[in-house]
Amino acid sequence: MKGAMELEPELLLQEARENVEAAQSYRRELGHRLQGLQEARRQIKESASQTRDVLKQHFNDLKGTLGKLLDERLVTLLQEVDTIEQETIKPLDDCQKLIEHGVNTAEDLVREGGSPESLLNVVDDDFTAQDYRLQFCKCTSNHFEDVYVGSETEFIVLHIDPNVDYQFRVCARGDGRQEWSPWSVPQIGHSTLVPHEWTAGFEGYSLSSRRNIALRNDSESSGVLYSSAPTYFCGQTLTFRVETVGQPDRRDSIGVCAEKQNGYESLQRDQAVCISTNGAVFVNGKEMTNQLPAVTSGSTVTFDVEAVTLGTTNNNEGGNFKLRVTISSNNREVVFDWLLDQSCGSLYFGCSFFYPGWKVLVF
């Protein structure tokens, strides 16, 4: 009985230790979650600030472009009015000259004819009064060119589409929609993004139920785990977060590619850009001079890709489609141009690890 009583305090002490350890673990977990909330808050504020700046710049550019287009259109319309004015006034000027000439002719005839009585009494040896009267009447009865009257002249009429103002309002209200997805920062003008997913059923990797977390398992199979579809588009931010790490290998890779290519054990190949777990950056299979910090547990690696030029570039550069890529990791980043053989509107993402234990979340 005494032994049992002596044992009870030890059990209580052990239980107390376990409770303390559980509380400490719980506190650490809450601390991690608090940090995650603070990071999420920071990302939201940063993305909101960036979106505001982009919106202001976008609409300032629109104002400049719209003002320039309207000014150019006004100049064109004013020139058209000048041309119409000149073309329609010319016949009136010609008619005015004819009328002025007719007025002068009539005045000359009046001066020559004098009074009606003197016209009847004109006598000349070679030119009888009757002949003179006939000549005078012929002159005064000459046909004058038709002249324009107010109802026959042209009017310059401006036709303005009454729907133009409405169309401007529709364009202004519809441009630059902002949408939020838990899988990406807001993108202006893009539809809501679906969650990024890995390819299901690939040997060597175990996937979470939502297929957004990949774990390198103990299988001896090796190769690249690709996304389920080319769901990454230029202008978006693609993020990988390393949850746990395994033994590193220089062939490890996390990155994006233009197309799936089976048979490769790494994304360190043509038509792909990636970062190795040692921080080395590869572009089309070639290692860059610049290097990022090594990937550790909790590391976040982001890819930002935007189109730079479309069409043919210098053949010596070896490509005809250029993308600008920014890879960020542990508060450092590298920026470079990525040349592809053909236009590519969307990209696959992928990873490859040669030893078990690596677990990566993508969003």
Side-chain angles (χ1 to χ4, degrees), residues 169-181:
R169 292 175 185 270
V170 171
C171 290
R173 290 172 180 171
D175 185 37
R177 61 186 182 276
Q178 305 156 46
E179 298 169 352
W180 168 253
S181 166

Side-chain angles (χ1 to χ4, degrees), residues 295-311:
V295 176
T296 59
S297 179
S299 292
T300 298
V301 181
T302 62
F303 287 75
D304 291 277
V305 182
E306 60 177 327
V308 178
T309 56
L310 297 174

